[in-house]
Amino acid sequence: MILLSVNHLSKTFGGLKAVSDVNMELKIGELVGLIGPNGAGKTTLFNLLTGVYKPTDGDIVLRRETIVGLKPHQINQKGIARTFQNIRLFSNLTVMDNVKIAYHQHRSYNMLSAILRLPSYFHGEEEMDKKAERLLEIFKLGHKKDELAKNLPYGEQRRLEIARALAAQPQLLLLDEPAAGMNPQETAELMEMIRWVRKEFDLTILLIEHDMSLVMGICERIYVLDYGQIIAEGTPEQIKSNPKVIEAYLGEDVTHAHG
């Protein structure tokens, strides 16, 4: 079953077509890669999917319902969460609070209960604390829950960002270069974590990544974007041997991309 379909999507800034007539489909439970040279339009596409930008043309349909025109928080509530190329945590809040913020949109109490400090407020907060702690344990951050986010090492900040995205209880998770700045060991661990998260949380994942070993190792299908257009789509094997893709992006070193 199709979770998300992107139909003839375009975005123009002034005279520049950042995304041009893009068509994509994501099936429920798939792990799909989005690759291409710098400036190909990958992050612009993520910004369109999450409501940061409004498309110039085309449609984005999530579970048979258009999401074009909705604000980012509304799209998030409908089930799309993302991480960013440059980590965007609330750096002066604790690790725990970073995750709890994402849970708040699913809170079981209303604003009045919070203002009047009614029992439903305390019960709801306790429930959120438990959920947040469980999520932090999964991401091996439980022992750091009271630390400020900015004091975590880089790899742990990445994990916290993914944990926070999952706290929004999405069906589709968009990961924007999650391995950026990681060493090979951290990348290998991240790869395992993405696989596990997809299975455990029953997610569909779309991943932008430059690390070819990661993309080829975990993605079932890959879309290739160049100058804002999809130039290829297929399995890792098909993409590796596609002459158009080799010319536009992968170069001769594609034969060394393992996985």
Side-chain angles (χ1 to χ4, degrees):
M1 191 176 153
I2 303 299
L3 176 67
L4 184 88
S5 65
V6 173
N7 308 311
H8 303 291
L9 198 67
S10 297
K11 178 63 183 173
T12 308
F13 296 102
L16 173 76
K17 268 206 164 177
V19 169
S20 180
D21 199 30
V22 165
N23 293 291
M24 286 174 84
E25 275 188 350
L26 300 178
K27 296 187 189 80
I28 288 174
E30 268 194 309
L31 209 170
V32 178
L34 179 64
I35 66 171
N38 283 328
K42 301 182 300 294
T43 296
T44 301
L45 184 55
F46 266 26
N47 285 335
L48 288 165
L49 296 179
T50 52
V52 175
Y53 297 150
K54 200 176 170 197
T56 311
D57 287 300
D59 200 6
I60 304 162
V61 178
L62 180 68
R63 289 191 314 278
R64 303 195 186 123
E65 183 188 348
T66 183
I67 56 170
V68 169
L70 296 181
K71 293 183 167 62
H73 74 272
Q74 293 171 316
I75 290 175
N76 187 251
Q77 283 167 349
K78 286 196 177 288
I80 299 181
R82 76 178 290 182
T83 64
F84 293 86
Q85 201 172 333
N86 306 311
I87 295 172
R88 294 192 193 175
L89 294 168
F90 298 104
S91 54
N92 288 313
L93 292 182
T94 65
V95 167
M96 178 81 156
D97 283 340
N98 265 275
V99 173
K100 274 182 70 176
I101 278 171
Y103 272 124
H104 262 100
Q105 65 179 3
H106 298 286
R107 66 181 184 265
S108 55
Y109 59 85
N110 60 28
M111 197 56 80
L112 189 65
S113 301
I115 292 164
L116 299 177
R117 292 290 195 265
L118 298 177
S120 58
Y121 162 76
F122 291 105
H123 176 69
E125 282 291 306
E126 194 182 329
E127 205 177 277
M128 265 190 291
D129 281 351
K130 280 181 187 160
K131 280 182 179 172
E133 279 177 8
R134 203 175 308 131
L135 201 52
L136 289 174
E137 286 300 331
I138 287 170
F139 284 88
K140 300 187 172 67
L141 291 167
H143 61 298
K144 301 272 182 92
K145 68 176 186 178
D146 298 320
E147 284 196 29
L148 294 183
K150 66 181 179 187
N151 295 337
L152 294 181
Y154 185 83
E156 290 185 352
Q157 287 191 13
R158 274 276 174 224
R159 292 212 302 272
L160 176 57
E161 196 183 31
I162 294 171
R164 186 181 64 182
L166 289 175
Q169 298 170 20
Q171 291 163 310
L172 173 60
L173 179 62
L174 307 177
L175 298 174
D176 193 349
E177 293 199 35
M182 288 189 169
N183 62 40
Q185 173 65 29
E186 286 171 327
T187 302
E189 286 170 10
L190 177 77
M191 203 157 137
E192 285 312 309
M193 189 175 78
I194 292 170
R195 271 203 195 104
W196 183 85
V197 156
R198 191 260 297 250
K199 193 162 164 266
E200 188 69 15
F201 289 85
D202 201 17
L203 286 171
T204 304
I205 296 176
L206 180 62
L207 171 85
I208 293 176
E209 189 49 73
H210 281 294
D211 187 317
M212 281 301 107
S213 62
L214 190 149
V215 172
M216 299 291 173
I218 64 172
C219 293
E220 292 145 351
R221 281 193 308 128
I222 297 168
Y223 284 96
V224 186
L225 203 61
D226 190 32
Y227 293 109
Q229 294 181 306
I230 300 282
I231 59 165
E233 180 263 327
T235 64
E237 288 307 315
Q238 289 167 333
I239 293 300
K240 264 193 245 189
S241 56
N242 185 311
K244 256 181 163 174
V245 179
I246 292 168
E247 188 190 342
Y249 180 50
L250 295 175
E252 294 312 310
D253 67 343
V254 66
T255 46
H256 304 301
H258 59 276

